[in-house]
Amino acid sequence: MSTLKKIFAGKLLDIKAIKLQPEQPFTWASGWKSPFYCDNRKTLSYPSLRNFVKLELSRLVAEEYPEAEAIAGVATGAIAQGALVAEELSLPFAYVRPKPKDHGLTNLIEGELAAGAKVVVIEDLISTGGSSLKAVEALRQHGCEVIGMVASYTYGFPVAEEAFREAGVHLTTLTDYEAVVETALATGYIRPEHVETLAAWRKDPAHWNQ
């Protein structure tokens, strides 16, 4: 496990971006019930941490995708993060809506992206991967070449990993589920019995019953 993953996991725990509610599980957009929630958008409210995320996401883009010609954020969670990365790298920025705007220009993609542009997608969090890959498909239909995706966090579900493989999208993240749980346990943020609950949930999140 990389040092960066542990460091960022610790920073998420410091601002209480990780929520654990086995008795009152969260409902995700996918319909899954979960005792665990990562709200890493809270990083935007802490200037030093916001800057950390901006610089580390930008570094990953520069290292993994040096040929990048533009940045696209996935609405709404990654609009701010994507704009920060684009500013840091002096690249054009656009964002992708979950569906076309229902008035005005009815845009699905907001901003200017040249046909054939090599685009890196910025996402805040990967769960099943559905909404992230929907944005990738929209960019491809727009004529862009999506060369990869960089996200703050991933749950690392097999269903998401398989979906990314099938879509031909390379994903790089600042941290992940394993790093957060390991760090949370080591710091006393969660107790050993919580780890058992989380393991049972993660084994079959689509059918988990608390």
Side-chain angles (χ1 to χ4, degrees), residues 121-145:
V121 179
I122 302 296
E123 182 62 289
D124 71 317
L125 179 147
I126 308 294
S127 53
T128 64
S131 59
S132 306
L133 293 175
K134 184 178 178 181
V136 169
E137 182 58 28
L139 289 163
R140 286 173 171 169
Q141 290 185 5
H142 187 71
C144 298
E145 179 185 350

Side-chain angles (χ1 to χ4, degrees), residues 18-208:
I18 305 302
K19 306 294 184 183
L20 188 67
Q21 294 182 187
E23 294 79 20
Q24 293 180 302
F26 301 96
T27 301
W28 290 356
S30 60
W32 289 3
K33 298 292 184 180
S34 171
F36 180 102
Y37 192 85
C38 178
D39 183 14
N40 69 69
R41 283 174 284 189
K42 285 184 70 174
T43 61
L44 295 169
S45 299
Y46 297 83
S48 62
L49 184 48
R50 182 176 66 226
N51 192 56
F52 174 89
V53 172
K54 176 190 73 173
L55 293 177
E56 290 300 329
L57 288 175
S58 299
R59 181 183 60 80
L60 287 180
V61 172
E63 290 179 358
E64 297 286 334
Y65 314 105
E67 70 275 34
E69 296 173 334
I71 300 295
V74 180
T76 58
I79 293 176
Q81 292 176 344
L84 288 168
V85 170
E87 179 68 16
E88 179 68 19
L89 299 176
S90 296
L91 291 173
F93 175 72
Y95 68 87
V96 186
R97 294 176 174 274
K99 60 181 181 180
K101 192 175 179 181
D102 60 6
H103 59 281
L105 298 176
T106 67
N107 291 335
L108 178 58
I109 297 173
E110 298 287 3
E112 290 288 337
L113 292 173
K118 293 179 171 61
V119 177
V120 174
V121 179
I122 302 296
E123 182 62 289
D124 71 317
L125 179 147
I126 308 294
S127 53
T128 64
S131 59
S132 306
L133 293 175
K134 184 178 178 181
V136 169
E137 182 58 28
L139 289 163
R140 286 173 171 169
Q141 290 185 5
H142 187 71
C144 298
E145 179 185 350
V146 176
I147 59 175
M149 183 179 297
V150 175
S152 293
Y153 175 88
T154 180
Y155 285 98
F157 292 127
V159 64
E161 293 177 348
E162 178 61 25
F164 273 80
R165 279 194 296 271
E166 290 182 358
V169 178
H170 181 253
L171 173 66
T172 310
T173 65
L174 295 185
T175 194
D176 54 29
Y177 172 87
E178 287 82 3
V180 166
V181 172
E182 181 178 316
T183 305
L185 183 60
T187 58
Y189 194 90
I190 61 174
R191 301 189 300 272
E193 58 267 31
H194 291 147
V195 176
E196 296 176 11
T197 299
L198 291 170
W201 162 72
R202 195 161 183 265
K203 185 177 180 180
D204 188 10
H207 303 98
W208 179 75

